[in-house]
Amino acid sequence: MTDRDSTQPPGIDSDGRADSDDRSDSADDERGQDERRPARDEPPATDTDQSVDGDDGSADRDADGDVERRTYLQAIGAAGAAGAIGAGAGLSGLGSQPVSAQADPNGSVLATFCGTFSGGPQVQQCLSCVEAACPGEEVTPVYPIVTGLTGTCFTPNSIPAGADYVTLKAGTNCYVAPVNGNTTFCLPPGAPDISNATFYSCGGDQPQPAVVDYTVTCEEIVVTTANIDTGTTLTAQVTFLDGEGNETTETFQATVQNNTATFALPGNLNPTNLVLLLDDLVLDDQPVVAEDAPCTPEPPVFDGVDVTCDAITVSTTNVPEGETLSITVSFANGVVETYNVPVDADGVAVVPLPGDVDPSHLTVVYDGETLFDMEVQATDAPCAEPPTPPTPDPRLDSIEVTCEAVRIVTADIPDGDVLTVTVSLADGTSVMEDLAIDADGVATLGLPGDVDPTHLTIVYDGETLFDMEVQATDAPCAEPTPPEPPEPPTPKPPKKEIRKKMMRHKRAYEKYKKMLEKSD
């Protein structure tokens, strides 16, 4: 394993060796008697079921609660109450001391708090605790690693061969205990639940494959390894969440090159858990989060629109720069135009408009999804300049149009002079007459009264003084004709009368037939 900054758990003196440990690298028989390690020639006792529960993981131990409670209290007294419950010092605040733990007669042992965990692969998280207990020796993980635990006691199915220590990660805290044939490892009262357990050996002769570090992004997972040959294939089982919360697991493979393996990911899914395998050996198994999460694209959001006669400005969120919006604009004159407009870095797309026609409806579509579809109106409407009405001729003072007549009041036209007045009617006919101006300057043209006037032209001395559409002030002039009532249906004769007529016809026919026979 790689060297890491660390401190030892309580009980290690200043030279990095245990007070009671007169360790010799060549004395294997003495190592077997070390209270922190099990004897190598005797297999450790284990339970048949690996478990983690709120007590010690064994129902047979219920009657010994007082013994276990005293054991907890002794462990707190030895390690310090604050350290035992995970408060106070981290890995950097403990001296170089031996790891000792109080065991009870049933084979359970209380692990000692040794600091806070380091991020990264599981075998690295509490490694410093064991490195502190094995000064000057190579510390290697012993597989399998154990994950997904809860409760405050851990009972493995079996103790891995060669294991000297076990670390228990609980919350952000690390706890360490020597194996020494113990079958159940517990935390002090008040400690968080155990989440994983890792076994280690000190001074092992065979380096073990391990994951030293990894980085996770939306696009890839880069794994740094130790003791894995170049060209070896690793497998990654990655659990993902999509944008709708659906969970899937995909398998990827990568080849180790110079202690590095890179797994390419889809890029549009959020990785949530990573399992790394070397053949069937699980090297790591834990939750992950991409550094550049979220990986799933956020749904496009329509933020607003600004409509003027000259342009439409559409604002969006979660539409990438350069992506195209399909914008359809309907105009008041009936014309419909579709514009494909790219979005800028701010999520804004601008559509230039003619400027002289009012936009009336707007539809915005992105990637097949309709973001906006509503009636609109330009803030500076009307866009089309209204037609300038002709300037009234100063010689016409007023004009009054009714169903019965057109009355024209003139100014500065001598009485007796003639106006040629033409009125078009709704039925397609027209009335035209030359009218002399009376002494009051008035000329009046009579109309039928039952047909609406629609257009008026006034000409004086060859010059047109008025030529415009008009409407009678008392329109409509024609009374609507009520529809003719339908003819009542002809009543059918009753069936009895029909039968009588048939019988009369039959008798007449029989009589006529006999006359013919006699004439023959």
Side-chain angles (χ1 to χ4, degrees):
M1 300 297 290
T2 57
D3 292 336
R4 301 167 69 93
D5 293 336
S6 63
T7 60
Q8 287 80 16
I12 302 293
D13 56 22
S14 59
D15 63 359
R17 295 183 178 273
D19 298 341
S20 61
D21 184 13
D22 186 12
R23 180 176 304 174
S24 169
D25 293 338
S26 63
D28 290 342
D29 55 338
E30 293 181 10
R31 176 176 301 168
Q33 302 303 316
D34 192 330
E35 71 176 272
R36 292 171 297 162
R37 304 179 183 176
R40 294 303 175 91
D41 56 351
E42 295 181 4
T46 62
D47 286 347
T48 56
D49 294 323
Q50 177 169 293
S51 64
V52 176
D53 45 350
D55 47 50
D56 58 4
S58 172
D60 295 336
R61 222 168 285 124
D62 291 344
D64 299 312
D66 291 341
V67 175
E68 187 168 322
R69 182 174 181 275
R70 289 196 297 273
T71 303
Y72 286 155
L73 296 177
Q74 290 167 357
I76 294 174
I85 63 173
L91 289 177
S92 61
L94 300 175
S96 174
Q97 301 176 25
V99 174
S100 61
Q102 180 70 42
D104 71 18
N106 297 305
S108 66
V109 64
L110 280 178
T112 303
F113 171 74
C114 55
T116 54
F117 85 108
S118 300
Q122 179 172 327
V123 297
Q124 299 287 325
Q125 291 174 356
C126 298
L127 173 65
S128 296
C129 295
V130 185
E131 288 177 333
C134 304
E137 294 186 87
E138 182 73 14
V139 176
T140 56
V142 181
Y143 295 97
I145 60 174
V146 184
T147 61
L149 303 179
T150 58
T152 55
C153 286
F154 163 54
T155 302
N157 289 329
S158 62
I159 304 294
D164 296 317
Y165 289 94
V166 64
T167 61
L168 306 175
K169 177 178 174 290
T172 60
N173 300 334
C174 288
Y175 298 81
V176 63
V179 174
N180 278 350
N182 299 299
T183 60
T184 297
F185 305 91
C186 295
L187 300 183
D193 278 6
I194 302 168
S195 59
N196 67 49
T198 310
F199 291 93
Y200 297 90
S201 67
C202 296
D205 331 356
Q206 299 180 347
Q208 294 294 310
V211 177
V212 176
D213 197 7
Y214 59 79
T215 58
V216 181
T217 66
C218 296
E219 301 292 336
E220 64 182 13
I221 296 176
V222 179
V223 178
T224 303
T225 63
N227 305 320
I228 299 178
D229 294 335
T230 293
T232 302
T233 299
L234 295 182
T235 300
Q237 295 175 348
V238 185
T239 302
F240 296 99
L241 280 181
D242 63 16
E244 298 179 355
N246 299 316
E247 187 176 85
T248 57
T249 299
E250 298 185 29
T251 301
F252 307 88
Q253 289 190 323
T255 302
V256 176
Q257 298 290 338
N258 299 322
N259 295 323
T260 301
T262 301
F263 300 90
L265 302 183
N268 60 349
L269 297 173
N270 295 297
T272 59
N273 195 83
L274 170 65
V275 179
L276 284 170
L277 301 101
L278 174 59
D279 298 327
D280 294 330
L281 177 63
V282 178
L283 300 177
D284 200 30
D285 180 359
Q286 61 181 300
V288 294
V289 177
E291 294 177 354
D292 50 349
C295 304
T296 50
E298 295 291 329
V301 177
F302 180 84
D303 286 336
V305 63
D306 180 38
V307 182
T308 66
C309 295
D310 295 321
I312 292 178
T313 303
V314 177
S315 299
T316 65
T317 301
N318 301 329
V319 177
E321 179 181 5
E323 291 290 293
T324 300
L325 299 182
S326 178
I327 300 176
T328 302
V329 184
S330 299
F331 295 93
N333 60 2
V335 174
V336 178
E337 296 284 353
T338 298
Y339 307 85
N340 294 316
V341 186
V343 173
D344 65 15
D346 297 322
V348 174
V350 179
V351 179
L353 298 182
D356 58 352
V357 185
D358 286 83
S360 58
H361 191 278
L362 173 66
T363 304
V364 180
V365 177
Y366 170 65
D367 196 24
E369 179 180 352
T370 300
L371 305 183
F372 184 86
D373 186 10
M374 290 184 65
E375 303 290 331
V376 294
Q377 183 178 22
T379 55
D380 51 350
C383 302
E385 292 293 333
T388 304
T391 303
D393 191 286
R395 289 166 290 185
L396 297 178
D397 191 20
S398 65
I399 300 173
E400 181 183 2
V401 180
T402 66
C403 294
E404 302 291 339
V406 175
R407 184 172 184 274
I408 303 168
V409 179
T410 64
D412 299 328
I413 296 179
D415 57 333
D417 283 5
V418 176
L419 300 177
T420 300
V421 180
T422 304
V423 177
S424 299
L425 303 177
D427 60 0
T429 62
S430 61
V431 176
M432 185 179 70
E433 189 173 340
D434 291 332
L435 303 175
I437 304 298
D438 64 15
D440 297 324
V442 175
T444 301
L445 173 65
L447 297 178
D450 57 353
V451 183
D452 286 85
T454 58
H455 192 278
L456 171 65
T457 303
I458 302 173
V459 178
Y460 170 64
D461 196 19
E463 182 181 355
T464 300
L465 305 185
F466 187 90
D467 187 9
M468 289 185 65
E469 301 292 327
V470 292
Q471 184 178 22
T473 57
D474 52 349
C477 300
E479 291 293 333
T481 303
E484 292 289 335
E487 291 289 335
T490 304
K492 296 181 179 180
K495 292 183 179 180
K496 185 177 181 181
E497 188 68 28
I498 294 174
R499 283 196 296 271
K500 287 182 178 180
K501 289 183 178 180
M502 290 176 64
M503 292 302 296
R504 285 198 298 269
H505 284 293
K506 184 177 181 182
R507 287 194 294 269
Y509 171 74
E510 293 293 339
K511 182 178 180 181
Y512 178 70
K513 183 178 179 182
K514 289 180 180 180
M515 290 175 62
L516 287 176
E517 289 174 350
K518 288 181 179 182
S519 63
D520 289 341

